[in-house]
Amino acid sequence: MSRRSRRQRGKLLEAKREKKEKEIKAQLQQEMERRRQANLKPKPHKIGKRKTALLFAAAHSKHDRHQPDVGVSVTTRVRTIHLSSSPHPSWREMEKIQLHPVNPLDLHAEEDEGVPASLTGMAVDYLTRMALTGEDAAKTFNIACLGFQNSRYMCEDQYFETFYQLLNEVDELHKSGSADWIRLAAYPALALVTCDSLYRAGTGNPFHLKDGTVVPWISDRTCLPVTSHNIDEMVHRGIKLFENYEPLVAAKITFQGGYTGIIASGDGDYLTENTLWDFKVSIKEPNNRQLLQLLVYWQMGLKSIHPEYQKVKFLALFNPLTNTIYRLSTDQVSPECVRWLQNDVIGYGNGMPQF
């Protein structure tokens, strides 16, 4: 298939996805209103896959999610690569740029308040994207929506109403225009992202931590004073990054035309005019797998239908917790590494179809 044909096909799929999101969001609101008026309990045996798929704006068709019968996500593929003998550059070759934070953060706040670092990172990512793009909550938290709507908890009133109310709360806070909306939205956001694992790993329990305890911040909106402040500050650091460093071109970037039978899904964080960005919230320095993830995104972008990736000159990790940028020039990537990425990691040289 020619690049032009792939580009046209990608535009059609994107238009189809956006239309479906609007239709499904309307279905979700109608279903919630019906339950309120009729006070009916859902009957699991009558709610089939077709109906539940219509209840969330983030639900896409199998092809739209780039999920064929084989293939894994970028992050899963990166975890399986043996790095000891591979020709990739080291993260230590990345240029470190320390931005000057206005307000220093408590690096151990989440640990002290019982919030897993992974949840904090996802909440920062989603709220930053929401602030930058103006997306609604159903689109921003689409992974959580997909995980929830594919789980058995979809048919339980308690979980359904809680999930819907949390999405609405984030939307209302965002639309309020309050200077404090991000800090307040940190609480429902941290609850929503507990549903991400239902989609990414196929396991978990909504609004519960890995040890089985219910997250306390659903009902108590004062229990995370330092964590909510940290999230607010980190989101503002992300916003300032693109205001002062480079203007944003796209968020939640995808690679239509660059997926293969080996890597069938995956999306990056942000794209500016000449830099591909990934946000990593951590008290630690970067590692080689995080850099490899960026390298894979870059090569998939070059093979995709999107011409914007041809302008990429830098690959950058941004840690909003420490307000630090780690940047690698694409000129530092050897031809041997490019061949290894294309043939061995992604699978372009193996005669696999691209989609």
Side-chain angles (χ1 to χ4, degrees):
M1 184 183 295
S2 68
R3 180 177 292 272
R4 181 177 179 182
S5 298
R6 292 201 306 271
R7 186 180 296 111
Q8 291 173 340
R9 188 163 177 243
K11 289 180 179 179
L12 289 173
L13 288 173
E14 183 67 18
K16 179 182 176 183
R17 182 186 65 78
E18 290 177 355
K19 181 179 178 182
K20 184 183 294 185
E21 284 181 347
K22 293 178 182 178
E23 293 174 350
I24 296 173
K25 186 178 180 182
Q27 287 283 343
L28 172 61
Q29 293 170 339
Q30 291 171 9
E31 173 69 10
M32 196 62 199
E33 185 62 28
R34 183 190 69 78
R35 292 189 186 190
R36 284 175 178 163
Q37 293 177 0
N39 195 24
L40 296 176
K41 290 186 177 181
K43 298 179 180 180
H45 65 281
K46 289 188 177 181
I47 298 181
K49 292 182 179 179
R50 181 181 177 85
K51 186 173 182 180
T52 56
L54 292 174
L55 291 175
F56 285 91
H60 306 314
S61 69
K62 187 175 181 181
H63 187 84
D64 288 336
R65 295 201 309 269
H66 315 294
Q67 295 277 4
D69 294 334
V70 295
V72 296
S73 68
V74 172
T75 52
T76 300
R77 177 59 176 156
V78 166
R79 284 197 297 267
T80 66
I81 301 297
H82 296 287
L83 298 179
S84 57
S85 59
S86 58
H88 68 88
S90 167
W91 73 267
R92 297 183 185 280
E93 298 176 42
M94 303 179 83
E95 176 189 9
K96 182 177 180 179
I97 305 171
Q98 179 64 59
L99 305 180
H100 297 288
V102 177
N103 302 308
L105 299 180
D106 181 352
L107 300 183
H108 301 282
E110 292 80 5
E111 181 181 346
D112 295 339
E113 295 182 344
V115 183
S118 59
L119 297 187
T120 302
M122 287 188 285
V124 170
D125 179 25
Y126 293 157
L127 291 175
T128 303
R129 187 190 312 159
M130 201 171 186
L132 287 169
T133 65
E135 293 177 346
D136 61 26
K139 188 169 184 178
T140 301
F141 292 86
N142 69 316
I143 297 297
C145 290
L146 282 167
F148 185 74
Q149 69 99 25
N150 286 329
S151 73
R152 63 182 176 87
Y153 304 102
M154 174 71 188
C155 299
E156 299 181 22
D157 263 352
Q158 176 185 359
Y159 287 106
F160 182 92
E161 292 178 10
T162 300
F163 193 92
Y164 180 81
Q165 289 166 2
L166 290 168
L167 282 177
N168 264 357
E169 184 178 356
V170 175
D171 267 333
E172 289 170 5
L173 287 168
H174 183 213
K175 293 173 184 176
S176 71
S178 167
D180 208 25
W181 81 266
I182 296 171
R183 185 187 66 79
L184 296 173
Y187 288 89
L190 285 168
L192 286 168
V193 296
T194 61
C195 299
D196 275 39
S197 64
L198 293 171
Y199 178 76
R200 299 183 191 277
T203 60
N205 191 337
F207 322 128
H208 287 67
L209 300 177
K210 288 183 178 180
D211 62 5
T213 58
V214 179
V215 293
W217 49 86
I218 287 185
S219 56
D220 183 0
R221 298 306 172 86
T222 61
C223 65
L224 304 176
V226 183
T227 299
S228 60
H229 165 75
N230 277 7
I231 289 175
D232 179 67
E233 179 64 24
M234 285 188 280
V235 171
H236 278 98
R237 289 177 180 182
I239 296 170
K240 290 176 184 176
L241 174 72
F242 296 118
E243 287 179 348
N244 303 329
Y245 201 79
E246 282 188 352
L248 185 66
V249 172
K252 197 184 178 185
I253 51 178
T254 55
F255 311 99
Q256 287 91 343
Y259 298 100
T260 69
I262 292 177
I263 298 180
S265 65
D267 51 72
D269 287 344
Y270 300 101
L271 179 68
T272 55
E273 185 174 1
N274 63 3
T275 306
L276 187 59
W277 295 85
D278 202 23
F279 277 32
K280 299 295 183 184
V281 178
S282 176
I283 62 174
K284 300 178 181 179
E285 298 273 18
N287 58 55
N288 285 335
R289 292 198 186 277
Q290 292 172 350
L291 175 55
L292 177 58
Q293 186 175 338
L294 266 178
L295 289 164
V296 171
Y297 287 153
W298 170 50
Q299 286 300 307
M300 292 176 67
L302 293 177
K303 292 287 187 177
S304 76
I305 63 174
H306 305 294
E308 296 84 2
Y309 292 109
Q310 304 299 324
K311 299 178 182 179
V312 170
K313 301 298 181 185
F314 297 98
L315 309 176
L317 295 169
F318 175 61
N319 185 348
L321 185 60
T322 59
N323 216 20
T324 309
I325 297 170
Y326 297 87
R327 190 175 70 165
L328 183 79
S329 169
T330 56
D331 292 337
Q332 294 175 252
V333 184
S334 68
E336 181 186 7
C337 178
V338 170
R339 288 193 295 270
W340 171 72
L341 289 167
Q342 292 183 351
N343 299 334
D344 298 342
V345 179
I346 308 173
Y348 294 136
N350 300 328
M352 289 189 176
Q354 294 171 224
F355 55 92

